Amino acid sequence: MPEIKSLQTDYDGPIESALSSISKLLRGHYGISKRMVALLLLQEDAEIERQVKEQEDENYKSIQNILPEVKSNYGHPLSYIIAMTRQQKVNNVLDSVIATRDKSDKGFAELLSRAMMNPLSGIIILFGVLYFGLYQFVGVFGAGTLVDFIESIVFGEWINPWVSGIANTIIPFQILRDLFVGEYGLVTLGLSYAIAIILPIVGTFFIIFSIIEDSGYLPRLAMLIDRIFKAIGLSGRAVIPMVLGFGCDTMATIVTRTQETRRERIITTLLLALAIPCSAQLGVILAILSGDGWSLSIWVGVITLVFLLVGFVASKAIPGRGPSFYMEVPPLRLPKLSNVLTKTYSRLQWYFFEVLPFFLYASVFLWLGDLTGVLDIITSWLEPVVVLIGLPPEASIAFLYGFFRRDFGAAGLYDLNTAGALVGVPLVVAAVTITLFIPCIAQFGVMLKERGIKTAIAITLFVFPFAFAVGYLVNLILTTLGVAL
Amino acid sequence: MELEEKAEEVLESLWIHHEDTGNNYLPIDEVEISYREGIEQLVKVSYVTLSEDIVQLTDKGRPFARNVVRRHRLAERLLADVMGTGDQLMHEKACKFEHLLDRGLDENICSLLGHPKVCPHGKPIPPGNCCQLQHHQGQRVVSPLSQLSPGQTGRVAYIYAPEVEQLQKLTAMGILPGAPITLAQNFPSYVFHIRETQFAVDEEIAQSIYVRLVNPENIGEAEAVERPRRNQTIGKLAQRLGLR
């Protein structure tokens, strides 16, 4: 085969002459050939336009004058004309070297792919993935078996007594000791919860998510769900942050960057903050409610309804063009274990560096709050609201915790539940409210960074009363109907 | 009453001038010399007025001018998408062609081409009654991807995207004229194969990809009945054009 030294595409006459006259006018340094700069200019590349404006002071005007002249030759944008010419060139090259075989055999992957995209079988598969992946693996195995082991054995029997022992011998003051090993201690609360609860739950979730991601299932799910998501102002693409949100809403809020418009990003951020429980929270809530099928169904139903309703209203209220959906659907592939583990590892690493510090601050804040009595004051503010939605006053501390860590709130409910103080209708109301209630402190931090202070505060100010309003309504409806759970 | 070809050309010039500048009049100098005789007939039926060397389109003449342009641009589409005519030849042929697309023939062609919205040069084709009705019956040669049935295959004829951003998205996906394309699924979203890649898109995007159906044998049962009619339409036209 002859060696190809360079491959130049020749464009249409007017484009070629524009390219050469622009190239002659260019004086600056761009790190790419002048012809390339000229081509990008014709394609109206914003970045190169900025650079040219910066570097070509005298010639910038003359360069600009060339553009409308070339454009007038064509009824389509130049980027389209250029893309067509290039495609032609590519086809010519490919035709001479590629032979296509007729692939008539439809393998299992193809069958499975079709089943995933068929509305009927697709929904069955979705439920299968949710049940086995989310419920069994993350919920039962991660949040159940693993958490029990790490929390009660690793921390409860090994680490905590050991650290407490050390603290007791080297720290002479009780107050300072509490900072490390007390009820809200950095080790006993911050670190132990992070490693005992977060690590197994988020870790198992990230394993499942990486498998799903590498298999090629997500674009198929996106395609299946696009029509429904359009009703809430989003495109099918939004399933990626949404599904990720079931793992960690904080990470999902960062992933909204991949969405096309500001409008989509705001709606997704809002829904993540409001109606998508993260895996840590989900694990605890599933544990509380799984004893009773009805309670669980009501919780799922209310959260889904809120998700769709708020999304729908937000899509009407937030101005801007509706989203469009286009996505490559790659072939289904069997995920490679090494890739899954690498991804899970790097996500967990991110999680520990970005999110863990927030939880450590939270421990310090709670310790301070407890010390100064601020905690009691805020709890007393929350009490009347909590009582109003039909919950025992002790539940208010769970809501306060909920802000620092979503699962803390849920864990607070868990304690009340096992103590027998929270059962039946109030339990469901509490679960609904705490799911909707406020994003955790880390998520709020990311919202501030990604969406700006105004949007973040607006979302929080909406979510807070809204969560209690929904809790109030659910309580009202269930008690009026005389539902006994 | 039938208009002379030259009269129709004058109407066309007036319409295009109106599109470009928003003015519905034209100095007579700007009307091509060979067409000027046509003005007389137009004045007679009061489609235009002529005073002080200014030709002005009247309200009565408007729908006729619009129709001439519609026929011209449809003819261009037909020549480009179905007959594969090149750029140079296209305008010349279309000029002849447009005069033949009268008496409802334009609606047949328009349906055949999937009610295109722009001509190959990107100028708008004024919609006809058939476009408003959007009746899906009748076989087509060109059709938006959204109206194909799953399994139907063809080649991308052209893209109709009113917004540059959307066009750029599609070109980035490699959806360009000539690319072989097969619709795999049309609900709940549109899934198609283009070359070796599979994409899922929503209805809006599927509507903007116009496909030339290259393999009518695979199209289905209904087609067998419809095809003779289509061939007749094209045959009639070809005859009139002197192509056969």
Side-chain angles (χ1 to χ4, degrees), chain B residues 113-131:
Chain B
L113 299 176
H115 306 286
K117 294 187 176 67
V118 287
C119 78
H121 309 99
K123 298 238 168 155
I125 299 175
N129 288 332
C130 61
C131 307

Side-chain angles (χ1 to χ4, degrees), chain A residues 75-77 79-80 83-84 87 91 103 117 119 223-224 226-227 230 260 321 324-329, chain B residues 120-121 163 167-169 171 173 176-177 185 187-189 191 195-202 204-205:
Chain A
H76 297 286
S79 55
Y80 180 68
M84 275 200 353
Q87 187 66 53
N91 288 350
K103 22 170 203 207
M117 291 195 285
M223 154 293 158
L224 209 58
D226 179 57
R227 271 176 201 263
K230 285 279 166 65
E260 279 198 310
R321 197 179 174 281
S324 67
F325 172 64
Y326 63 102
M327 207 170 186
E328 192 185 332
V329 185
Chain B
H121 309 99
E163 284 166 50
L167 191 67
Q168 274 167 347
K169 263 183 237 162
T171 32
M173 285 156 74
L176 285 165
Q185 194 177 333
F187 186 85
S189 303
V191 179
R195 297 205 181 81
E196 304 302 316
T197 319
Q198 187 175 217
F199 285 103
V201 299
D202 60 17
E204 197 191 340
I205 293 183

Side-chain angles (χ1 to χ4, degrees), chain B residues 81-213:
Chain B
D81 300 341
V82 182
M83 316 229 166
T85 316
D87 243 14
Q88 282 305 309
L89 205 60
M90 184 164 70
H91 183 75
E92 189 192 317
K93 286 280 179 207
C95 280
K96 285 190 181 169
F97 221 130
E98 68 191 48
H99 306 294
L100 307 174
L101 288 182
D102 50 2
R103 288 171 298 201
L105 215 50
D106 62 316
E107 299 212 343
N108 284 352
I109 293 295
C110 188
S111 302
L112 206 62
L113 299 176
H115 306 286
K117 294 187 176 67
V118 287
C119 78
H121 309 99
K123 298 238 168 155
I125 299 175
N129 288 332
C130 61
C131 307
Q132 261 109 45
L133 293 172
Q134 272 286 347
H135 49 75
H136 293 185
Q137 317 98 308
Q139 193 46 56
R140 292 164 171 194
V141 185
V142 175
S143 164
L145 184 69
S146 57
Q147 287 170 22
L148 260 52
S149 353
Q152 253 183 309
T153 190
R155 277 176 188 276
V156 176
Y158 58 96
I159 316 264
Y160 167 68
E163 284 166 50
V164 184
E165 285 163 33
Q166 205 184 345
L167 191 67
Q168 274 167 347
K169 263 183 237 162
L170 292 166
T171 32
M173 285 156 74
I175 299 169
L176 285 165
I181 187 168
T182 306
L183 186 72
Q185 194 177 333
N186 59 8
F187 186 85
S189 303
Y190 294 85
V191 179
F192 60 89
H193 300 263
I194 188 157
R195 297 205 181 81
E196 304 302 316
T197 319
Q198 187 175 217
F199 285 103
V201 299
D202 60 17
E203 185 154 28
E204 197 191 340
I205 293 183
Q207 276 168 351
S208 63
I209 304 169
Y210 282 71
V211 178
R212 175 153 62 116
L213 304 161

